[in-house]
Amino acid sequence: MCCIPSRRTSQARTWEESICPECNDIGYCNVPNTTGTDSIPCVCQLNMGYCVLRSEKRLRRVWEFRGKKVPDARSPFRKDFLEHLRKLGYGNMTDQVAITTRAREKLILRMSALPPQRRAALGYGKSELIKQCSFNSMQCDIEKEFKLHIDPSFGNCYTFNADPNKVQASSKAGPSHGLRLMVFVNTSDYLPTTEATGVRIAIHGQKECPFPDVFGYSAPTGAVSSFGISLRKVNRLENGDCFNPDAPLPPGYIYREYNYEPEGCYRNCYQKRIISRCGCADPRFPQPSSSIRVCDIRNEHTRDCLLAESVRMIKRKSCRCTHACKQDVYTTTYSAAKWPSGSTRMECTEKDCNTYYR
């Protein structure tokens, strides 16, 4: 028995309100051989003989019964759920981690296709993210000393000491004289595809394009994270297999505002292949020309082309990218401690600080 009728209706009606002992995660209450002992409000279909979860405010819409998990093999919604996933590009995927990863990738592609002004408006502003800042024991001017960089994976990123014509140097070594920040991470705005809480930090030269998704470091919330940085200058023989920094950038290089880097070279090679094979540019990376349209991932053919060419490129290893003959290599060490300490004078208590700034 799956439900206990609470009141009968007239013959003209086909639904009646009932109480069910158990409902699954997608709102289907006809669980065979149930051992449930709950009293869950449900609505039963008299002609078809099944029951669904009844909301206190209204009946759930048909598309809301899909739920967040893949229905089991006995569920009548499984076939429809899997067909819906296939149309969205998740065919033959039942693992939740794999689906989340694919969803995050598609979300990045969709957001990257928006105009830069629109993408910047959807992200956090400087003063929203950075609450306190000091460098070389002096207070920062957050609005003037941080430069906006829109990253396809992380959205609005802010670069300190980005102007090569105005280099800011620390007078002494140690954390007290370096860059100190207190940032606000609003986890209430996080999407279901966000796996971790914290910020992403990338260390790079002023003329180097930041790639935080590849070369970044993660810093958690509720802690004082310290990053120690050391610089090593590498000089390779110019008659060897390296790229001369004084030479012109490769034709069609998509990161023309920055110096040559192997990572930029690989992404440039990938973008050229996508344009050649799919007839459009991957929205995550710059376009070599404004005349080339950006791929629309809502189009099933375009989406399949992007995914297929990405796999083929990895297998064939068709890109040949060398290191620069002169390269700055930054080595980073990391340590962390609990924050706040309790004795530091803050605008909030330890409990409120952790609640608000986390």
Side-chain angles (χ1 to χ4, degrees), residues 53-69:
L53 183 67
R54 174 166 58 90
S55 171
E56 294 181 359
K57 296 182 179 180
R58 61 168 175 79
L59 290 176
R60 300 179 71 185
R61 308 294 191 245
V62 173
W63 55 85
E64 295 175 328
F65 290 137
R66 299 183 190 277
K68 298 180 180 179
K69 298 181 180 179

Side-chain angles (χ1 to χ4, degrees), residues 120-130 142-143 148 156 158:
L122 291 172
Y124 286 102
K126 297 177 184 178
S127 58
E128 291 179 298
L129 176 67
I130 305 170
I142 296 175
E143 291 298 326
L148 173 64
N156 289 358
Y158 297 100

Side-chain angles (χ1 to χ4, degrees), residues 18 28-29 57 111 136-137 147 203 222 280 288 292 307 333 338 358:
S18 302
Y28 190 72
C29 302
K57 296 182 179 180
M111 289 294 296
N136 202 17
S137 300
K147 178 184 177 182
I203 313 298
C280 57
I292 300 174
L307 296 175
T333 58
K338 181 184 176 182
R358 283 187 180 185

Side-chain angles (χ1 to χ4, degrees), residues 106-145:
K106 291 180 64 177
L107 180 62
I108 291 172
L109 285 168
R110 188 73 185 97
M111 289 294 296
S112 299
L114 296 175
Q117 297 83 358
R118 178 62 175 161
R119 291 163 59 191
L122 291 172
Y124 286 102
K126 297 177 184 178
S127 58
E128 291 179 298
L129 176 67
I130 305 170
K131 294 301 181 182
Q132 296 179 16
C133 170
S134 70
F135 178 73
N136 202 17
S137 300
M138 300 293 291
Q139 182 174 332
C140 303
D141 188 331
I142 296 175
E143 291 298 326
K144 293 182 179 180
E145 296 181 349

Side-chain angles (χ1 to χ4, degrees), residues 29 67 81 84 88 113 129 137 144 182 211 263 329 351:
C29 302
F81 193 98
H84 184 65
L88 292 175
L129 176 67
S137 300
K144 293 182 179 180
M182 184 173 73
F211 298 111
E263 180 63 26
V329 179
K351 180 180 179 181

Side-chain angles (χ1 to χ4, degrees), residues 4-267:
I4 305 171
S6 59
R7 63 182 177 87
R8 297 193 62 83
T9 59
S10 63
Q11 294 292 332
R13 301 187 64 179
T14 58
W15 293 86
E16 70 175 2
E17 296 180 0
S18 302
I19 300 296
C20 293
E22 185 180 8
C23 296
N24 62 17
D25 62 323
I26 61 171
Y28 190 72
C29 302
N30 285 56
V31 183
N33 302 320
T34 180
T35 57
T37 57
D38 296 329
S39 297
I40 303 174
C42 59
V43 181
C44 294
Q45 222 289 337
L46 300 180
N47 296 334
M48 303 298 294
Y50 67 89
C51 302
V52 294
L53 183 67
R54 174 166 58 90
S55 171
E56 294 181 359
K57 296 182 179 180
R58 61 168 175 79
L59 290 176
R60 300 179 71 185
R61 308 294 191 245
V62 173
W63 55 85
E64 295 175 328
F65 290 137
R66 299 183 190 277
K68 298 180 180 179
K69 298 181 180 179
V70 178
D72 57 38
R74 297 176 298 178
S75 173
F77 295 100
R78 181 178 176 85
K79 182 178 179 180
D80 178 65
F81 193 98
L82 295 178
E83 176 63 19
H84 184 65
L85 288 180
R86 188 194 67 78
K87 291 181 179 179
L88 292 175
Y90 305 102
N92 300 322
M93 298 177 67
T94 57
D95 183 81
Q96 193 64 38
V97 174
I99 293 175
T100 302
T101 303
R102 178 66 61 84
R104 182 170 61 250
E105 183 180 3
K106 291 180 64 177
L107 180 62
I108 291 172
L109 285 168
R110 188 73 185 97
M111 289 294 296
S112 299
L114 296 175
Q117 297 83 358
R118 178 62 175 161
R119 291 163 59 191
L122 291 172
Y124 286 102
K126 297 177 184 178
S127 58
E128 291 179 298
L129 176 67
I130 305 170
K131 294 301 181 182
Q132 296 179 16
C133 170
S134 70
F135 178 73
N136 202 17
S137 300
M138 300 293 291
Q139 182 174 332
C140 303
D141 188 331
I142 296 175
E143 291 298 326
K144 293 182 179 180
E145 296 181 349
F146 286 87
K147 178 184 177 182
L148 173 64
H149 172 79
I150 304 177
D151 184 79
S153 299
F154 297 97
N156 289 358
C157 298
Y158 297 100
T159 307
F160 180 77
N161 201 8
D163 188 358
N165 299 319
K166 187 181 178 181
V167 178
Q168 300 194 56
S170 176
S171 60
K172 297 179 182 178
S176 297
H177 298 274
L179 179 64
R180 296 171 59 88
L181 301 171
M182 184 173 73
V183 297
F184 173 46
V185 179
N186 189 4
T187 56
S188 62
D189 283 349
Y190 277 21
L191 297 174
T193 54
T194 305
E195 296 178 329
T197 304
V199 295
R200 191 76 170 175
I201 298 173
I203 313 298
H204 60 92
Q206 293 173 313
K207 294 184 179 181
E208 295 177 358
C209 181
F211 298 111
D213 56 330
V214 179
F215 302 115
Y217 301 89
S218 296
T221 58
V224 175
S225 299
S226 298
F227 292 87
I229 304 169
S230 60
L231 171 63
R232 179 165 54 94
K233 290 185 174 290
V234 178
N235 293 303
R236 299 180 176 90
L237 296 176
E238 294 188 8
N239 58 353
D241 189 13
C242 65
F243 181 85
N244 188 341
D246 298 326
L249 292 171
Y253 190 72
I254 57 178
Y255 297 99
R256 305 202 66 83
E257 298 179 359
Y258 302 96
N259 290 345
Y260 170 88
E261 293 178 80
E263 180 63 26
C265 174
Y266 280 113
R267 299 191 184 202

